[in-house]
Amino acid sequence: MTDNIAWQLQGSYFETCNCETACPCVWLQPPSEGDCKLLVAWHISTGHFEAQRLDNLNVALACYAPGHMKDGNWQAALYIDERADDAQSDAITQIFSGQQGGHLAILMSFVSEVSGIKKVKINYQEGGNKRLMSIPGIAQAEIESIQGITGEESSISNPPLCVVSSHPSIVAKSNQYQYQDFDNNWQFSDRNGYYSSFIYQP
């Protein structure tokens, strides 16, 4: 890891997996289905890697954990916005692989196998209490938040394990979730989802 690189990313993210809502993995409990099939999408509103701007780019990650997530052995595939040039792609790869520290380095320390890194078209949309991401021929996911008893969105704050530590996670449920790549073929609905804003930095 290189410690002298100045970088920061801000934007919004969502995730969905095959667990029942709400996913027990964030509390360091076993996944409800015995394994975890996780799809994460980020929209970088503003970002930089030293002088390299990373504004308005999308990133996605597919992860498979064969058992308890805290035990590691995750397999992961990284997808980078096709609009990114070579320098931007390299910066995103370094950040999201955990090479440049911060919360993403903690997450990626659980990964033992990288299936691949691809530049693809990533469509990321926010609309009210819904979030949607699609990668043609690879992935499509839509989640919708769950309303709490007061009428506000339900949220989880400061769990032991999470994709975003900078903001509370809105609890959601998937309307659809499909992923097919690297010999995986996952299809789910009415399963767990989270979304929030995010800030990542070293």
Side-chain angles (χ1 to χ4, degrees):
M1 185 177 73
T2 303
D3 294 325
N4 60 352
I5 299 291
W7 65 272
Q8 186 185 68
L9 305 178
Q10 297 186 50
S12 63
Y13 108 104
F14 80 89
E15 65 180 282
T16 183
C17 69
N18 61 318
C19 280
E20 297 285 352
T21 303
C23 174
C25 300
V26 299
W27 306 113
L28 302 182
Q29 300 301 307
S32 63
E33 304 305 304
D35 60 10
C36 188
K37 299 176 174 75
L38 174 68
L39 186 64
V40 189
W42 295 267
H43 174 71
I44 303 168
S45 300
T46 61
H48 71 91
F49 185 79
E50 294 212 311
Q52 178 66 58
R53 299 304 307 179
L54 301 172
D55 302 356
N56 199 35
L57 293 173
N58 300 319
V59 182
L61 184 76
C63 283
Y64 172 71
H68 204 307
M69 294 197 81
K70 71 178 179 60
D71 293 337
N73 298 316
W74 300 4
Q75 299 170 9
L78 180 65
Y79 300 91
I80 300 171
D81 199 317
E82 66 178 7
R83 297 172 299 163
D85 62 25
D86 289 346
Q88 290 171 321
S89 294
D90 180 66
I92 288 171
T93 299
Q94 288 193 52
I95 291 170
F96 281 87
S97 65
Q99 297 176 48
Q100 294 299 330
H103 185 66
L104 288 168
I106 296 172
L107 286 180
M108 296 307 290
S109 69
F110 292 99
V111 175
S112 59
E113 179 184 341
V114 177
S115 302
I117 301 173
K118 294 182 178 181
K119 287 184 70 173
V120 294
K121 182 178 181 180
I122 304 175
N123 177 35
Y124 184 105
Q125 296 181 29
E126 300 178 46
N129 68 337
K130 293 183 180 181
R131 300 292 183 271
L132 183 146
M133 184 275 288
S134 62
I135 302 172
I138 294 176
Q140 182 146 343
E142 181 185 73
I143 66 170
E144 183 173 353
S145 68
I146 296 174
Q147 190 178 72
I149 195 169
T150 65
E152 302 294 325
E153 294 173 320
S154 301
S155 64
I156 289 175
S157 183
N158 195 34
L161 179 65
C162 56
V163 174
V164 169
S165 59
S166 60
H167 293 74
S169 298
I170 303 300
V171 181
K173 184 175 283 190
S174 60
N175 294 326
Q176 60 173 323
Y177 169 14
Q178 296 178 302
Y179 172 75
Q180 50 277 328
D181 205 6
F182 298 108
D183 297 323
N184 297 306
N185 189 356
W186 307 338
Q187 296 189 45
F188 307 104
S189 61
D190 295 322
R191 294 304 175 104
N192 182 72
Y194 295 121
Y195 68 82
S196 74
S197 299
F198 74 85
I199 299 174
Y200 291 140
Q201 55 197 8

